[in-house]
Amino acid sequence: MREQLRARNTYTLFVALCAAPSAFADDAPRIETGYNSYGYPGLIDMPVAKSRPDGELAVTVSSFAGQTRNTLTFQGLPRLSGSFRYSVLDNATGGERSALYDRSFSLHYRFADETAWHPALAVGLNDFLGTGIYSSEYLVATKTLGPSLRVTGGIGWGRLGGAGGFTNPLGVLDDRFKRRPERDAGQGGDVEAAQFFRDDAALFGGIEWQATDRLKFTMEYSSDDHPREDPSAFEQESQLNFGVTYGLGPMTQLSLRYLYGSELGAQLSTALNPKSPPNHAGRDPAPPPVLGRGAPTVAALGWIDGVVERDALRRDLVRALAAQGIGLHGLSLAGGTARIEIENDTYHQEAQAVGRTARVLSRHLPAHVDTFDITLVDAGLAVSQVSLRRDDMETLEHDLDGAWKSFARARVSSPEGPAPPAPGRYPGFDWSVLPYLSPSFFDPDDPLRADAGAQLDVSFQPMPGFEVSGILRQKVVGTLDDATRRSDSVLPRVRSDFALYDREGETALTQLTGAHYFKPGRDLYGRVTVGYLERMFGGVSSELLWTRNDSPFALGAEVNYVKQRDFDGGFGFRDYEVATGHVSAYWDMGNGFHAQVDAGRYLAEDWGATVSLDREFGNGWRIGAFATLTDVPFDTFGEGSFDKGIRITVPIRWLTGEPSKTAYTTTIRPIQRDGGARLDVPERLYNRVRPRQKPALQNGWGRFWR
Amino acid sequence: MNVRLRPGHAALLAGLALLLAAGCDRVSRTLNLTGTVAAVPPQPIGPARLRVRLPATGAQATLAPVARNGGVTVWQTLDGITLSFRDGVLIATRGLGDDLMSADVDGTLAMLRGSDRATQYPHIRSYLDGEDRTVFRSFQCRREAGPDRQITERCVSTDVGMTNIYWLDGAGEITRSRQWVSPAIDYMETERLPRE
């Protein structure tokens, strides 16, 4: 039964491009809001005052007149989307090369919804950082006129105020709005707020007609005057654009356009929504049923008083838990209470590991045990203890609201420390060989390079809280060593020599560390790590984290002394040494949003702070952005002015539907320089501890009975 | 500096994302990233057997009872799928993917026992959404006209409906049924096998 169902699910995966429509979809809007050539919600080149569904992550590739825009857009809030764009402009003026490579950001905010009486309204900023070739702002209104017809009109500034422009109406407020100051682009990267909504404005508009479910026709009057492209790349004969869009799949659209009276353009956009896994809530094998104490069962062992019985019981539990992908760390029985410590390496939601453990306990423990104290342990750190009544397991297993009732009846607390480990747990040894993929973006010589190879992970735990681990990478194929650009950084080259590491480190020991984890207090967690911490640095790292089990705030401090490693990924070091460290504040803002501030000294001896904001989905997807400002002047930093980027974490479990904690994370920076570079310490404490704390348990408790 | 433009790479980003998304299942399977939790073989507690078919996929299996708890019997396949029935009415599935997490079937059971035929009765069930949150769906059900031994139940929610059919024996026990599970699984057909 299972095998056949799996085959079907794989098929679904391929057809739907990983995008399963939500199980109980509401009626979709008749007119599909598309992505424009800049990759944000729009017509052809112009915006619309609509948004895509919350959470959607889209890739748009649009090309015309020798210009290709690749845009990644995330609908981070129902009303707000952010885009990151990498464009290649052939024959554009202003670039010192034959092709211009440009990275830009956009924000699109819908501030009013459409009603019967007024249109939807949105405002947007394009390319507000950096060199600003797409620099523009707009205010746009969209009104639906029937089941298949929609009109849009708006006013644009900057590039969108170029064609048919008139004196800025905002000039009545202040004369400053009449002039758009020249961008002091410098190294790029400044927020050019002084330019917003300045200079001439122009009107734009368009009509969308959804002819069938899959086919849409669009016509627009564009106010984009293409200052860099006309006439070097193409002749702009008209401001009218015509487009047709065909839905290749539920989340994939192909568009063809006739643009500016002279050019043909094509666009492909595809999207997925982390909220809708292709395999629904996952294909985990069924958990063992709860066994009621009244039931006639082979597992009822009777009273346990002898050492022999205890050992037999422990061995049974180890076996039964291992079958569920859960490790037994410690076990003690006292009176009516069984205290058990588990290590979950399998389930994304710790609550699911707790639920399965409790089911196993109900099948194996003697009838007089009426309380299960299940402690979640990681690297010897006992993070949370969940206390469950056995009666509740028996009565709520088939209850309609069993998940919430069982959480409400459970007690979650923070234990002082772990109990003595079960015999046989230590020493522990683990290894795995997995593939790795290491991409590199935006080198003008070749904007996308990657290496792929095999990675050997080894871990050895001699006793609770101690871990020796190593990662050895062997490149198999890849183009990273094609990079010929060398760092021109005037700062200590703590990161910008990455191409040398790629070239010389085909076989690289990316990590070899000894770490000690400990709990100095009930809400305190500590870590000391010594060794080759990351690919580029080795040394000593120590961290202390304060986090209460029920508080959205946490504080941490980290102090490191490190030395730069040789390029070849071996055991040698270079001359550069630095003391670096940060004080960190963490805030779980609710609804999956997480903010973090890290202030301190970075690798190039610069002082400053990093602000990051992430949206974490319940299934483990994480999409966020960060920016670091330090005392390095923008001119000294070099291109980009300061360190910033976006990061995306994709849980493997989301793709496969099988229980797994493995996730793939990638960080995309417009450019990697040396300022604001933070040490990449393996296994920082916050992300180890937080998934096992009460708020995370509560959010994942739906899987308790899964 | 002489720079060659390679438009092929421009589309590569999108292509890579697409390939990753579409191909990951296959990749991870060959790399043995999946299947970390093996199905536990059933330990039957009785001789009864249940034959179940999923018409949407053609999948079928024979299940044995593995637990009984407060009027609910849990049946399990050889490969680790469990189905829970309260007096023959489905209240939960595990291991199917788009699983039914729980259901309140008191109204259906009362209807099957022959209470007033004309009344509507509520039916509530829960699922997990893509972010592991519990989602409740509420239905209104009523018995459709038909023979006493083959009872048809029609339930509607705001955007989905289901039509379940129960075949009863002389003692009022469900011997066969066709019951809706979830949008992705669709219907399930069950049949009690004669005891051997």
Side-chain angles (χ1 to χ4, degrees):
Chain A
M1 189 159 183
R2 194 170 165 77
E3 281 312 311
Q4 292 178 44
L5 283 156
R6 281 184 183 195
R8 176 170 181 261
N9 280 324
T10 310
Y11 172 74
T12 312
L13 192 73
F14 277 95
V15 169
L17 302 175
C18 275
S22 96
F24 298 96
D26 294 327
D27 274 347
R30 178 78 174 81
I31 302 174
E32 188 78 11
T33 297
Y35 290 99
N36 69 10
S37 68
Y38 291 92
Y40 56 83
L43 303 164
I44 297 172
D45 274 356
M46 299 296 110
V48 292
K50 294 283 178 176
S51 304
R52 293 290 304 171
D54 180 43
E56 184 168 292
L57 187 68
V59 177
T60 303
V61 180
S62 189
S63 186
F64 90 109
Q67 176 169 163
T68 303
R69 301 178 190 139
N70 307 282
T71 314
L72 182 71
T73 295
F74 176 46
Q75 190 73 43
L77 290 169
R79 294 176 178 281
L80 180 71
S81 66
S83 307
F84 173 68
R85 189 176 306 106
Y86 182 73
S87 314
V88 183
L89 290 82
D90 225 355
N91 300 319
T93 53
E96 75 260 29
R97 305 182 282 260
S98 62
L100 184 65
Y101 299 86
D102 186 73
R103 283 143 284 194
S104 56
F105 292 92
S106 292
L107 291 172
H108 177 82
Y109 179 66
R110 189 183 88 248
F111 60 89
D113 294 331
E114 183 174 345
T115 69
W117 302 105
H118 71 75
L121 298 169
V123 62
L125 300 175
N126 290 322
D127 203 0
F128 48 90
L129 297 173
T131 46
I133 63 167
Y134 292 141
S135 163
S136 54
E137 302 81 43
Y138 56 81
L139 194 59
V140 60
T142 297
K143 185 81 183 79
T144 307
L145 294 183
S148 60
L149 199 67
R150 200 158 76 178
V151 294
T152 292
I155 178 168
W157 291 266
R159 187 181 165 112
L160 291 176
F166 48 84
T167 306
N168 192 345
L170 292 174
V172 302
L173 300 175
D174 192 323
D175 273 349
R176 281 185 304 159
F177 281 108
K178 292 183 178 168
R179 207 179 60 79
R180 195 173 180 98
E182 274 304 301
R183 228 173 233 212
D184 174 21
Q187 301 290 352
D190 305 9
V191 177
E192 300 285 348
Q195 286 196 327
F196 292 167
F197 304 103
R198 301 296 175 85
D199 206 355
D200 281 1
L203 298 177
F204 60 85
I207 301 176
E208 297 164 274
W209 175 45
Q210 188 83 44
T212 73
D213 280 352
R214 294 187 158 215
L215 196 64
K216 188 169 91 169
F217 294 94
T218 310
M219 184 179 79
E220 70 174 14
Y221 176 84
S222 165
S223 60
D224 191 335
D225 65 344
H226 297 88
R228 301 292 189 101
E229 301 96 321
D230 181 15
S232 60
F234 76 104
E235 298 280 344
Q236 196 161 325
E237 309 279 351
S238 147
Q239 291 304 122
L240 282 179
N241 296 331
F242 303 89
V244 55
T245 300
Y246 182 73
L248 295 174
M251 308 285 266
T252 305
Q253 269 86 36
L254 177 69
S255 302
L256 297 173
R257 282 95 184 247
Y258 180 64
L259 298 154
Y260 303 102
S262 63
E263 290 289 328
L264 287 175
Q267 173 172 322
L268 184 69
S269 69
T270 185
L272 57 81
N273 197 320
K275 289 178 168 181
S276 308
N279 295 293
H280 307 281
R283 287 178 277 152
D284 321 34
V290 172
L291 275 195
R293 276 166 288 183
T297 154
V298 288
L301 291 175
W303 191 263
I304 294 195
D305 48 3
V307 175
V308 176
E309 289 91 338
R310 243 167 227 255
D311 280 352
L313 172 65
R314 185 172 45 73
R315 276 197 301 274
D316 277 355
L317 282 177
V318 166
R319 206 175 303 121
L321 287 171
Q324 301 298 318
I326 297 165
L328 178 84
H329 187 267
L331 172 70
S332 60
L333 293 172
T337 301
R339 186 167 186 231
I340 181 166
E341 295 181 338
I342 58 164
E343 293 172 295
N344 163 29
D345 292 323
T346 303
Y347 303 99
H348 169 69
Q349 302 289 5
E350 299 292 329
Q352 190 172 5
V354 173
R356 292 200 173 215
T357 301
R359 285 171 179 272
V360 167
L361 294 178
S362 79
R363 298 173 69 83
H364 288 268
L365 291 184
H368 74 277
V369 176
D370 55 14
T371 306
F372 302 153
D373 285 350
I374 300 170
T375 303
L376 294 164
V377 174
D378 180 41
L381 300 171
V383 177
S384 288
Q385 175 179 305
V386 182
S387 187
L388 301 165
R389 284 175 54 228
R390 193 171 184 168
D391 282 348
D392 294 335
M393 290 302 296
E394 292 169 4
T395 55
L396 298 179
E397 183 188 16
H398 301 298
D399 192 279
L400 175 68
D401 200 10
W404 177 245
K405 281 183 186 166
S406 64
F407 181 78
R409 296 181 194 181
R411 275 187 301 109
V412 182
S413 56
S414 185
E416 288 291 346
R425 168 62 186 86
Y426 292 100
F429 182 71
D430 238 344
W431 66 275
S432 65
V433 178
L434 290 173
Y436 77 89
L437 178 72
S438 171
S440 153
F441 304 105
F442 315 135
D443 182 334
D445 297 337
D446 190 349
L448 179 60
R449 290 201 182 96
D451 272 2
Q455 169 174 318
L456 170 70
D457 282 59
V458 181
S459 138
F460 173 66
Q461 299 118 28
M463 60 182 98
F466 287 87
E467 185 166 39
V468 178
S469 49
I471 299 174
L472 186 69
R473 278 188 166 188
Q474 174 61 52
K475 171 183 165 179
V476 177
V477 291
T479 51
L480 289 186
D481 59 357
D482 291 349
T484 51
R485 277 165 194 269
R486 290 295 169 257
S487 171
D488 59 0
S489 181
V490 295
L491 293 168
R493 294 185 180 172
V494 294
R495 288 284 182 232
S496 61
D497 276 337
F498 58 87
L500 295 172
Y501 285 92
D502 289 333
R503 171 178 292 260
E504 296 189 21
E506 298 216 331
T507 307
L509 184 70
T510 55
Q511 187 196 324
L512 181 61
T513 53
H516 176 39
Y517 300 91
F518 53 99
K519 271 187 88 164
R522 201 191 53 174
D523 299 321
L524 285 174
Y525 299 83
R527 169 184 64 79
V528 177
T529 311
V530 184
Y532 297 91
L533 300 168
E534 50 145 296
R535 188 169 67 143
M536 300 186 193
F537 288 91
V540 187
S541 168
S542 59
E543 184 186 0
L544 191 65
L545 174 74
W546 172 84
T547 170
R548 287 176 56 94
N549 214 320
D550 53 359
S551 167
F553 298 101
L555 291 171
E558 183 183 291
V559 179
N560 317 294
Y561 192 83
V562 293
K563 195 166 182 183
Q564 190 165 22
R565 293 180 60 190
D566 274 343
F567 299 138
D568 63 6
F571 293 102
F573 287 96
R574 297 172 60 76
D575 284 339
Y576 185 73
E577 294 178 23
V578 61
T580 169
H582 288 82
V583 180
S584 301
Y586 309 88
W587 178 24
D588 179 347
M589 302 163 76
N591 296 319
F593 289 87
H594 295 268
Q596 184 177 340
V597 177
D598 308 286
R601 193 183 197 224
Y602 292 82
L603 283 172
E605 301 186 329
D606 46 339
W607 292 82
T610 303
V611 177
S612 30
L613 182 64
D614 291 272
R615 177 168 179 186
E616 190 176 88
F617 293 84
N619 51 39
W621 268 83
R622 200 176 161 98
I623 300 171
F626 61 91
T628 303
L629 287 174
T630 70
D631 58 1
V632 172
F634 288 175
D635 286 342
T636 313
F637 180 93
E639 189 181 346
S641 295
F642 62 94
D643 190 60
K644 59 198 165 291
I646 52 181
R647 56 190 176 204
I648 299 175
T649 299
V650 186
I652 296 297
R653 160 213 178 200
W654 187 90
L655 291 165
T656 64
E658 303 282 345
S660 162
K661 281 194 152 182
T662 312
Y664 177 76
T665 298
T666 189
T667 301
I668 302 174
R669 286 181 163 88
I671 190 158
Q672 173 76 66
R673 305 287 298 186
D674 297 317
R678 200 175 172 198
L679 186 68
D680 192 9
V681 180
E683 303 291 355
R684 285 200 164 102
L685 289 170
Y686 185 64
N687 285 329
R688 273 197 109 130
V689 171
R690 187 173 60 83
R692 294 173 172 81
Q693 289 185 305
K694 189 173 182 178
L697 288 169
Q698 181 170 350
N699 288 336
W701 206 261
R703 290 192 90 80
F704 180 83
W705 292 111
R706 186 81 163 196
Chain B
M1 190 174 295
N2 181 22
V3 175
R4 257 184 335 118
L5 173 66
R6 294 182 224 180
H9 285 113
L12 207 58
L13 265 177
L16 191 72
L18 241 154
L19 270 178
L20 267 179
C24 260
D25 192 76
R26 177 169 293 173
V27 171
S28 54
R29 202 168 301 273
T30 41
L31 297 173
N32 206 18
L33 283 175
T34 59
T36 44
V37 181
V40 176
Q43 299 168 341
I45 56 167
R49 294 294 180 266
L50 189 70
R51 175 153 281 276
V52 171
R53 221 171 71 80
L54 301 179
T57 56
Q60 54 182 319
T62 303
L63 294 85
V66 292
R68 217 165 269 134
N69 179 3
V72 175
T73 306
V74 183
W75 301 74
Q76 189 182 335
T77 66
L78 284 172
D79 53 2
I81 291 169
T82 60
L83 308 174
S84 304
F85 294 88
R86 189 182 290 278
D87 296 339
V89 180
L90 184 72
I91 60 157
T93 70
R94 294 291 185 273
L96 284 177
D98 192 12
D99 281 320
L100 173 65
M101 290 303 293
S102 66
D104 177 354
V105 295
D106 287 354
T108 301
L109 291 172
M111 180 274 290
L112 290 174
R113 282 193 294 265
S115 68
D116 183 10
R117 290 192 176 187
T119 45
Q120 298 251 357
Y121 51 89
H123 173 93
I124 302 174
R125 40 174 61 204
S126 78
Y127 296 90
L128 286 183
D129 72 4
E131 292 194 82
D132 292 339
R133 292 173 303 209
T134 303
V135 182
F136 288 95
R137 303 290 305 183
S138 166
F139 293 79
Q140 281 295 320
C141 308
R142 72 188 309 161
R143 180 178 167 175
E144 308 241 292
D148 278 352
R149 293 285 184 83
Q150 183 190 331
I151 297 176
T152 302
E153 170 189 56
R154 174 73 194 157
C155 300
V156 290
S157 182
T158 48
D159 51 5
V160 282
M162 56 183 183
T163 305
N164 301 323
I165 308 171
Y166 307 92
W167 284 265
L168 309 184
D169 64 10
E173 301 261 314
I174 296 172
T175 54
R176 276 176 67 201
S177 72
R178 174 181 181 270
Q179 305 186 49
W180 191 73
V181 181
S182 63
I185 304 298
D186 206 28
Y187 282 92
M188 165 182 289
E189 291 170 4
T190 71
E191 187 180 0
R192 288 284 288 269
L193 294 184
R195 300 191 179 186
E196 288 155 12

